[in-house]
Amino acid sequence: MSILLEMREISKVFPGVKALDRVSLTVEAGEIHAICGENGAGKSTLMKVLSGVYPHGSYDGEIVYDGQPLRNRGIRDSEHKGIIIIHQELALIPLLSIAENLFLGNEVASKGVISWPMAFKKTGELLRQVGLNEPPGAVVGKLGVGKQQLIEIAKALSKNVRLLILDEPTAALQEADADRLLDLMLELKARGVTQIIISHKLNEISRVADRITVIRDGTSVSTLTKAEISEDRIIKDMVGRDMAHRYPERDSHPGEMLFEVENWSCWHPEQAGRQMIKGVSLNVRKGEIVGIAGLMGTGRTELAMSIFGRSYGKGHQGTVKMHGRPVDVSTVTKAIQAGISYVTEDRKALGLILEEPILKNISLANLAGIARRSVLDKRREAQVAETYRKQLAIRTPGVQQKVVNLSGGNQQKVVLSKWLFTDPELLILDEPTRGIDVGAKFEIYTIMKDLADQGRGVLMISSEMPELLGMCDRIYVMNEGRIVGELARGEASQERIMALIVKDNGKTTGKVA
């Protein structure tokens, strides 16, 4: 194959941080090239350099594209050359139609007048290329994330893409949608479209990638061919060490009963008469990590949020107990006072104030803890944040750093710090490792282990079966808003969990979580 792209010793510096340190990358025409690395390794920064988000002159090094120096002044320059990037945060406008989104800024027009019949015709052709049957006039915001991701690819095809960059394209997708996207990548490869994919999902990379470049701490450390690709080798290069164990070793010795939910029910907040949680009962002992598994959409998050201050649903019924006594969890404040904290699955939208610094985010759920006579003590706030920065190994130049500038794994540690500062006895973790790399996952698992060792209880919801099986003392299985089974660590397996679900309703409509 011929070389389409060379990035030679690229360096990029932000205030207080060297994000890239002489990174080199070579991509052959027509291949799918994967880039792996821990959160904060510099993967997305490198692709922003390539795509013109960071223009020529704002970085050191040289880029050669199709045999010519590439000196983009912005994204439009790179798009004119056929280099299109699809960011992890989709850049679609939800209130506009598919056709309007596809040709926004690239309108199908004659003499300054948009030709909607032609735009709709071209939209239909592009949607068929990515396997979508939606009408061109469909409003994007009413479509699922999987379909929106395919629309982004259709938008790239409308710009005559030659090099397509996908940044964590399957991070928010269900399994079926992810498989569909990976199949499309292979189809595009067959059509001659060169692709670069950034992903933490090593099984997906192994499936589609021809070669993998691993970046660690802003430096390229290896490039592996398809024959050399293995999860163990990728992980070793990513984290700089062998990881013989994906989960920390722990001796589980659950103590007395800590947390109990009895016959808990709630209804949909907007759809009258639709019961979401149906008489759920569960418990967690001191020093115990308990998981909740189930199919997508079975009510796991709704259960957690409804318990934590009735943050979801209406018409709540049932009892929540701590240490055998009923507690009032009718508001978030009361739930915190009862010793319960909840780490949301959506850290960016619900867990953090991204434009605020680390120290303000950490103190947010416990302002009384940094106040003296009802006045916030800035020095105390900084001391608390610095303590958690060290304890949880948050990688940052300082606690004044804005959270938006942190990697996903470090953002998750800030969310955990916020809730640990409330001194919870029970910590509910909803998808605690979503979108973070294997090294950061191990650190999160270690925090969970430490909490259990301290005698606290952990209730974990996860869509990753291996981490439920690897971390939990017991696993509850949910289906259609109910608990349909409970498995001890020694008897839990993916097959047994699926058997409980199938036995419950005789059908499966989603993926194992």
Side-chain angles (χ1 to χ4, degrees), residues 253-266:
H253 301 288
E256 65 184 41
M257 190 63 68
L258 171 65
F259 169 75
E260 297 168 273
V261 175
E262 297 178 350
N263 200 28
W264 189 259
S265 299
C266 77

Side-chain angles (χ1 to χ4, degrees), residues 6 18 27-28 31 61 71 74 98 114 129 188 202 265 282 286 290 292 299 319 367 371 395 470:
E6 287 184 85
K18 192 165 192 177
V27 178
E28 297 178 350
E31 78 167 333
R71 295 170 181 169
I98 297 174
I114 296 175
Q129 288 186 46
L188 293 175
L202 304 185
S265 299
L282 55 81
K286 285 187 173 182
V290 176
I292 301 180
T319 305
L367 293 177
R395 296 185 183 94

Side-chain angles (χ1 to χ4, degrees), residues 266-285:
C266 77
W267 280 257
H268 195 284
E270 296 174 355
Q271 298 176 18
R274 182 183 176 188
Q275 189 173 358
M276 299 300 294
I277 306 300
K278 304 168 184 177
V280 166
S281 296
L282 55 81
N283 61 68
V284 180
R285 294 180 176 275

Side-chain angles (χ1 to χ4, degrees), residues 47-303:
M47 292 301 97
K48 288 177 180 178
V49 166
L50 172 59
S51 61
V53 174
Y54 300 134
H56 182 260
S58 67
Y59 57 87
D60 295 325
E62 182 182 12
I63 304 176
V64 178
Y65 177 70
D66 203 15
Q68 300 294 321
L70 186 70
R71 295 170 181 169
N72 292 326
R73 293 169 295 177
I75 294 177
R76 188 169 289 273
D77 278 359
S78 68
E79 289 186 347
H80 283 320
K81 298 177 178 69
I83 301 172
I84 311 295
I85 185 169
I86 298 176
H87 297 280
Q88 184 175 355
E89 309 296 334
L90 300 181
L92 299 172
I93 299 176
L95 296 179
L96 296 184
S97 68
I98 297 174
E100 289 169 319
N101 270 282
L102 288 191
F103 295 105
L104 186 63
N106 187 31
E107 286 78 9
V108 181
S110 176
K111 297 180 180 180
V113 178
I114 296 175
S115 173
W116 289 112
M118 184 61 68
F120 272 50
K121 180 182 177 182
K122 288 188 174 183
T123 298
E125 293 170 355
L126 290 165
L127 293 180
R128 282 191 289 275
Q129 288 186 46
V130 298
L132 278 179
N133 297 317
E134 304 297 324
V139 176
V140 163
K142 295 184 178 180
L143 304 176
V145 177
K147 290 181 179 180
Q148 290 185 27
Q149 190 73 263
L150 295 177
I151 290 169
E152 282 276 25
I153 294 177
K155 187 175 181 179
L157 295 176
S158 75
K159 299 175 181 177
N160 300 313
V161 61
R162 293 185 63 201
L163 175 59
L164 180 62
I165 305 164
L166 300 110
D167 190 351
E168 297 286 356
T170 65
L173 300 187
Q174 297 184 25
E175 188 173 332
D177 289 332
D179 286 340
R180 188 176 179 186
L181 179 59
L182 296 174
D183 288 340
L184 177 58
M185 290 181 65
L186 293 172
E187 290 177 21
L188 293 175
K189 175 188 171 182
R191 296 183 213 168
V193 178
T194 306
Q195 297 161 78
I196 297 175
I197 177 174
I198 298 172
S199 179
H200 290 127
K201 299 183 179 180
L202 304 185
N203 60 322
E204 295 180 354
I205 286 175
S206 299
R207 175 181 163 188
V208 300
D210 298 295
R211 292 189 301 150
I212 296 176
T213 293
V214 179
I215 298 177
R216 182 172 73 239
D217 297 331
T219 304
S220 46
V221 296
S222 64
T223 296
L224 309 176
T225 65
K226 196 166 190 71
E228 297 171 319
I229 294 172
S230 72
E231 289 196 12
D232 289 341
R233 173 65 190 277
I234 295 168
I235 292 169
K236 180 180 178 181
D237 288 350
M238 282 173 59
V239 302
R241 64 187 188 277
D242 286 310
M243 289 189 67
H245 303 287
R246 301 283 181 92
Y247 308 96
E249 295 182 5
R250 55 183 290 260
D251 293 322
S252 177
H253 301 288
E256 65 184 41
M257 190 63 68
L258 171 65
F259 169 75
E260 297 168 273
V261 175
E262 297 178 350
N263 200 28
W264 189 259
S265 299
C266 77
W267 280 257
H268 195 284
E270 296 174 355
Q271 298 176 18
R274 182 183 176 188
Q275 189 173 358
M276 299 300 294
I277 306 300
K278 304 168 184 177
V280 166
S281 296
L282 55 81
N283 61 68
V284 180
R285 294 180 176 275
K286 285 187 173 182
E288 192 175 32
I289 299 176
V290 176
I292 301 180
L295 303 177
M296 294 296 294
T298 53
R300 297 165 303 166
T301 293
E302 290 81 359
L303 171 64

Side-chain angles (χ1 to χ4, degrees), residues 357-359 386 389 394-402 406:
I358 293 168
L359 78 172
E386 184 62 25
R389 184 190 70 79
I394 301 171
R395 296 185 183 94
T396 174
V399 295
Q400 294 289 348
Q401 174 85 290
K402 286 186 177 182
L406 300 179

